[in-house]
Amino acid sequence: MKFGQWLGLIAAAAALVLLWSLRDVVIHLFAAVVLAMALCTLVGVVRARLGCARPFALLLSLFGLLVLLAIALAAVVPPFVQQFQQLLLQLPEAASKALALLRQAMDQSSQMLYGQEALDWLRQSWGSGASGSEAVGQSLQGLLGLAGNLGSGLIQLLFVVAVALMVAVQPNAYKEVAVLLAPSFYRRRMRQVLSQCGEALSSWMGGVLISSLCVALLAGIGLSLLGVKLVVANALLAGLLNIIPNVGPTLSTVFPMSVALLVSPWKALAVLGLYVLVQNLESYVITPSVMHHQVKLLPGLTLAAQFVFTVLFGPLGLLLALPLAVCLQVVIREVLIHDVLDPWRRQRPLT
């Protein structure tokens, strides 16, 4: 290679090292871009319905979001916070009861098979129900202690919101800045790839919003029919955690099952059946109906993306795993396959 090519290679390697060292900032910038895309999608809907200019549509969208936020803070958040606190307080008791039921089932199975309690060593290793309850309580206290450190989290949230608002005001200007980072011969193609990433993100966010609302509504109706307490908190948790595939629906099942277990084991099984039904409806009926144009992601790739991005970026990486995977799939398909591998195959035919 020539000297200029070596210099470009060294610069690219240095840029990758710099991005890796600043990966926390990069993931927050990507979160801001996702939030800006959501706002731009809303602005586009407002402009299509009202036929107004973009600045007016942006102001109208922000005003509508602030009104919805005020309504949520006044009507939804107080009962949710109260019920969620009650839910956390009841989790140790539910865990203790679950351990007691499991020990009882083990003893009955041992009596039927061996005529005696042959699993004493295992039960002793678990300890008493009170110690299990204390362990769960200590774990919850540790989680609440981590959640109580809101200082840095608030600063990061303000940073993401501020950057998102600035990008939403002039999205094309920031898009052109990203285009200028590509070589001159590839800038037109880069502009197309970025547009496709934006369309894929908009489609994904719209579909996830509708899907999460349907899951929260179905969970709330089902829990009300089953007579499970703390319906508002559990239904909202089901809708919020639905954003995180695979992991989120599993976590959302734990809370209502814990509440139902305090009443009856059979009611806990009924809650489990309800959530399995809701998730199957979401996976096979709701999602295919509202996401016709969404980028298709295989379940295995989705799970792998969650694992990799969680390891690289922490909890925020888990939350943003799906939009990251959506954008990466578009980039791999358009850049690596269409622009690199397909021309290379045409230039080098198999012999």
Side-chain angles (χ1 to χ4, degrees):
M1 290 192 301
K2 297 181 179 179
F3 176 75
Q5 294 175 328
W6 278 108
L7 188 61
L9 181 62
I10 294 174
L16 291 176
V17 173
L18 181 61
L19 287 176
W20 175 253
S21 62
L22 297 176
R23 59 186 181 275
D24 291 336
V25 178
V26 172
I27 193 64
H28 283 88
L29 289 175
F30 182 77
V33 170
V34 172
L35 187 59
M37 283 303 307
L39 188 55
C40 290
T41 303
L42 180 60
V43 171
V45 172
V46 173
R47 293 186 65 186
R49 295 293 178 86
L50 301 180
C52 55
R54 179 180 174 81
F56 180 76
L58 179 60
L59 291 176
L60 190 61
S61 300
L62 291 175
F63 178 75
L65 290 175
L66 290 176
V67 171
L68 291 177
L69 181 61
I71 294 174
L73 290 176
V76 179
V77 173
F80 172 76
V81 172
Q82 182 181 3
Q83 292 188 13
F84 188 70
Q85 290 176 348
Q86 297 177 12
L87 190 62
L88 291 179
L89 293 175
Q90 291 181 4
L91 281 180
E93 184 180 355
S96 177
K97 187 172 182 178
L99 291 175
L101 290 173
L102 186 57
R103 286 199 301 269
Q104 182 181 359
M106 291 170 59
D107 287 341
Q108 291 177 354
S109 300
S110 179
Q111 289 288 348
M112 292 175 60
L113 294 174
Y114 306 106
Q116 58 181 353
E117 296 182 1
L119 300 177
D120 289 338
W121 62 274
L122 185 57
R123 295 191 292 111
Q124 291 175 0
S125 65
W126 281 356
S128 63
S131 61
S133 175
E134 292 175 358
V136 175
Q138 291 176 358
S139 299
L140 289 175
Q141 290 178 359
L143 291 175
L144 291 176
L146 291 176
N149 188 13
L150 299 177
S152 59
L154 182 60
I155 294 176
Q156 293 172 0
L157 179 61
L158 291 175
F159 170 77
V160 170
V161 172
V163 174
L165 289 175
M166 287 186 286
V167 173
V169 172
Q170 294 179 312
N172 292 328
Y174 288 96
K175 178 181 175 180
E176 290 302 318
V177 171
V179 169
L180 290 176
L181 296 177
S184 58
F185 68 90
Y186 198 75
R187 286 172 184 169
R188 179 178 299 178
R189 178 63 175 153
M190 184 71 173
R191 193 175 290 108
Q192 296 175 354
V193 173
L194 290 178
S195 298
Q196 292 187 24
C197 288
E199 293 174 359
L201 277 178
S202 298
S203 175
W204 172 80
M205 285 183 289
V208 165
L209 178 61
I210 298 174
S211 175
S212 298
L213 289 175
C214 292
V215 167
L217 181 61
L218 291 174
I221 294 174
L223 293 175
S224 299
L225 293 176
L226 292 175
V228 179
K229 297 180 180 179
L230 310 178
V231 174
V232 175
N234 286 312
L236 287 178
L237 281 175
L240 292 174
L241 292 176
N242 185 65
I243 300 175
I244 308 174
N246 303 318
V247 179
T250 303
L251 291 177
S252 67
T253 310
V254 174
F255 298 100
M257 285 188 64
S258 301
V259 176
L261 185 62
L262 296 176
V263 179
S264 170
W266 299 109
K267 183 168 286 190
L269 292 177
V271 170
L272 177 60
L274 169 67
Y275 272 65
V276 170
L277 177 62
V278 170
Q279 289 304 320
N280 277 277
L281 287 175
E282 187 271 336
S283 299
Y284 298 106
V285 178
I286 299 173
T287 298
S289 299
V290 301
M291 295 189 180
H292 295 294
H293 304 290
Q294 184 193 13
V295 177
K296 303 299 181 182
L297 292 174
L298 296 176
L301 294 178
T302 300
L303 187 60
Q306 288 178 289
F307 177 76
V308 171
F309 293 132
T310 302
V311 172
L312 293 178
F313 303 112
L316 188 58
L318 176 63
L319 184 62
L320 297 174
L322 257 293
L324 278 167
V326 167
C327 291
L328 281 179
Q329 181 162 316
V330 173
V331 171
I332 291 173
R333 184 188 67 229
E334 298 297 327
V335 178
L336 181 60
I337 297 178
H338 290 178
D339 297 343
V340 178
L341 297 182
D342 287 350
W344 180 81
R345 180 179 177 86
R346 289 193 295 266
Q347 294 173 4
R348 298 172 179 266
L350 296 176
T351 58

